[in-house]
Amino acid sequence: DIQLTQSPSFLSASVGDRVTITCRASQDISTYLAWFQQNPGRAPKLLIYAASTLQGGVPSRFSGTGSGTEFTLTVTSLQPGDFATYYCQQFNSFPLTFGGGTKVEI
Amino acid sequence: DVQLVESEGGLVPPGGSLRLSCTASGFTLSIYAMYWVRQAPGKGLEWVSTLGGTDGTTYYADSVKGRFIISRDNAKNTLFLEMKSLRADDTAVYFCARHSGSGISRRLDAWGQGTLVTVSS
């Protein structure tokens, strides 16, 4: 199984900050990587797929980079609704796996 | 609008069974691969099962293989997850999700609201 390791697990930030989250894969997954945002009690929301493609309707302050085994999600100018937990997920092979999550809090 | 609505979960004793449903609107469920993903209380996301779109191939996580069955009713545009021999560690919010795209553009782009299944005596 492909393991995805996110760092950091927790991130303290303020409105207007730029934050970066890293996701490392245990083997090469090309760009078969997506990023999700999840607010408490809500379903995950797709932000980015194919490592860097912004899902429709997602603000451009979200961006993703990377390929192979190292990926990043960057949020420029954090907004109040961005304080949430973020997950990476790989589509390279079954079983589909998720990272452990990064909670972005004030 | 694309929407996925899951049935209510519930409290089930260990060893019991439960069937979850996920009704789609705004798209034809049968032409998409569909997923179940779960989230134990306070924990991360875990893939459970997949049902292929056109070919109907099924896939299961090792943790549920032999106990859970994924299926769909095309006429009702509804996805199901039949869960048997439930254990305490199956306690989670269960989400259904739609798979769109192909190749590197594969993505889970629509999710249900989630339904809580609690396995406890």
Side-chain angles (χ1 to χ4, degrees):
Chain A
D1 298 4
I2 296 174
Q3 309 301 318
L4 297 178
T5 303
Q6 284 184 237
S7 59
S9 299
F10 295 92
L11 194 161
S12 184
S14 301
V15 172
D17 282 356
R18 173 190 176 101
V19 299
T20 297
I21 298 168
T22 298
C23 177
R24 288 188 174 87
S26 60
Q27 63 189 72
D28 188 337
I29 59 170
S30 183
T31 55
Y32 290 94
L33 190 97
W35 289 97
F36 292 90
Q37 176 193 69
Q38 187 179 34
N39 288 105
R42 304 295 297 272
K45 173 187 174 183
L46 178 65
L47 299 175
I48 286 168
Y49 63 95
S52 61
T53 302
L54 202 64
Q55 171 70 354
V58 174
S60 59
R61 64 179 181 274
F62 293 92
S63 64
T65 62
S67 66
T69 62
E70 187 145 340
F71 303 86
T72 61
L73 171 70
T74 299
V75 187
T76 58
S77 189
L78 271 174
Q79 299 302 299
D82 299 338
F83 291 93
T85 300
Y86 293 83
Y87 294 93
C88 56
Q89 171 253 313
Q90 64 83 18
F91 247 129
N92 184 76
S93 61
F94 277 111
L96 183 153
T97 50
F98 293 85
T102 296
K103 186 174 183 180
V104 178
E105 52 194 3
I106 298 175
Chain B
D1 268 11
V2 169
Q3 196 172 12
L4 293 166
V5 178
E6 290 130 356
S7 58
E8 272 198 37
L11 175 64
V12 185
S17 301
L18 187 67
R19 187 176 81 159
L20 302 180
S21 65
C22 167
T23 300
S25 59
F27 71 100
T28 301
L29 187 145
S30 63
I31 64 172
Y32 288 85
M34 296 296 296
Y35 286 64
W36 288 97
V37 174
R38 69 184 180 184
Q39 187 170 37
K43 302 296 184 182
L45 299 165
E46 179 191 17
W47 168 72
V48 173
S49 184
T50 298
L51 176 61
T54 50
D55 64 4
T57 304
T58 57
Y59 304 86
Y60 298 94
D62 287 345
S63 58
V64 306
K65 201 173 293 181
R67 301 187 299 122
F68 289 13
I69 298 174
I70 189 172
S71 64
R72 67 180 174 231
D73 183 328
N74 293 342
K76 295 182 179 178
N77 218 32
T78 299
L79 177 75
F80 299 101
L81 185 68
E82 185 83 40
M83 304 184 291
K84 299 181 179 179
S85 302
L86 283 162
R87 312 186 300 224
D89 62 0
D90 294 317
T91 294
V93 173
Y94 285 74
F95 299 97
C96 58
R98 182 181 79 169
H99 171 194
S100 293
S102 62
I104 62 166
S105 294
R106 284 179 269 177
R107 58 199 183 271
L108 298 178
D109 67 342
W111 292 66
Q113 81 280 11
T115 189
L116 177 63
V117 174
T118 303
V119 183
S120 174
S121 54

